[in-house]
Amino acid sequence: WNVIAENNVWIGWRQYDGFPWCRAKSTFNAPAAEIIAILEDKQNYSNIFKRVESARILTDDIVHISLDMPFPFSSRDYVVSYSQDQDDEDIIYRFHAVDHPDGQLNDGYVRLVNAAGEWRLHPITINSTELSYTWNGELRGDFPDWALVRAWETQGEEVMDWLREALQQ
């Protein structure tokens, strides 16, 4: 991994299978069950993750998510299918882009056709959890390559900060 940040949140990226993959990791003073409850509340993503404009539930496991990007960049959207898996004591929420007839592209948005990643929760103790968030860092459209590393760092920090805030409510 190419390390971007090693503060409260570890953030790195690497090239894999033709795409830049990013990862953010942090330890939360919360049981895995509390974090899972937030991650499963996709209908409420726009209240948890500040860049999410909307999260429309299309089926039990398919969601259309619209993201607000900072000026001067076009906003992004993606349609993903979620699945849950277990790896020893780790709980994993995977997501990957899918086509769905109700997931129409919003005007002025760039569709992230290769959106994919996972949330991995590793319980450390009953009240402590390591959370890693891995995502395909491809932003497509009018996003310049020179700004990608900064965008990935911002995304990793923001997502972890917003989860911390949600856990405090």
Side-chain angles (χ1 to χ4, degrees):
W1 289 92
N2 302 294
V3 177
I4 299 171
E6 287 188 275
N7 301 317
N8 214 16
V9 179
W10 179 95
I11 303 167
W13 75 276
R14 69 181 184 154
Q15 201 71 23
Y16 178 77
D17 205 19
F19 294 101
W21 287 89
C22 307
R23 178 172 291 159
K25 289 192 303 188
S26 191
T27 300
F28 289 78
N29 292 321
E34 287 183 21
I35 299 169
I36 289 168
I38 292 169
L39 295 176
E40 288 181 343
D41 190 8
K42 294 169 190 75
Q43 187 89 25
N44 200 30
Y45 273 14
S46 63
N47 296 318
I48 298 165
F49 304 107
K50 310 292 189 269
R51 288 203 191 280
V52 173
E53 289 179 334
S54 67
R56 290 187 322 120
I57 309 300
L58 303 179
T59 70
D60 287 344
D61 61 343
I62 297 177
V63 183
H64 179 200
I65 297 176
S66 301
L67 301 172
D68 180 29
M69 298 291 284
F71 179 81
F73 306 111
S74 298
S75 293
R76 305 302 198 256
D77 81 343
Y78 54 93
V79 179
V80 289
S81 176
Y82 284 88
S83 63
Q84 182 179 344
D85 200 4
Q86 190 94 20
D87 181 17
D88 293 325
E89 71 273 7
D90 290 2
I91 300 161
I92 306 163
Y93 288 98
R94 290 190 174 99
F95 56 94
H96 66 275
V98 295
D99 288 323
H100 190 280
D102 294 332
Q104 296 91 2
L105 178 63
N106 296 327
D107 286 342
Y109 284 67
V110 173
R111 174 65 49 96
L112 299 178
V113 296
N114 298 307
E118 72 176 29
W119 298 93
R120 181 179 290 259
L121 295 93
H122 177 75
I124 298 169
T125 67
I126 291 174
N127 292 312
S128 181
T129 307
E130 181 184 75
L131 176 65
S132 70
Y133 168 51
T134 305
W135 71 98
N136 178 334
E138 178 188 47
L139 286 172
R140 300 177 43 91
D142 59 358
F143 207 89
D145 288 347
W146 59 263
L148 284 171
V149 171
R150 180 67 187 131
W152 299 331
E153 179 179 9
T154 299
Q155 182 173 348
E157 288 174 357
E158 287 179 343
V159 164
M160 295 300 185
D161 288 347
W162 293 331
L163 277 169
R164 269 186 230 294
E165 288 174 20
L167 284 165
Q168 294 171 357
Q169 296 177 1

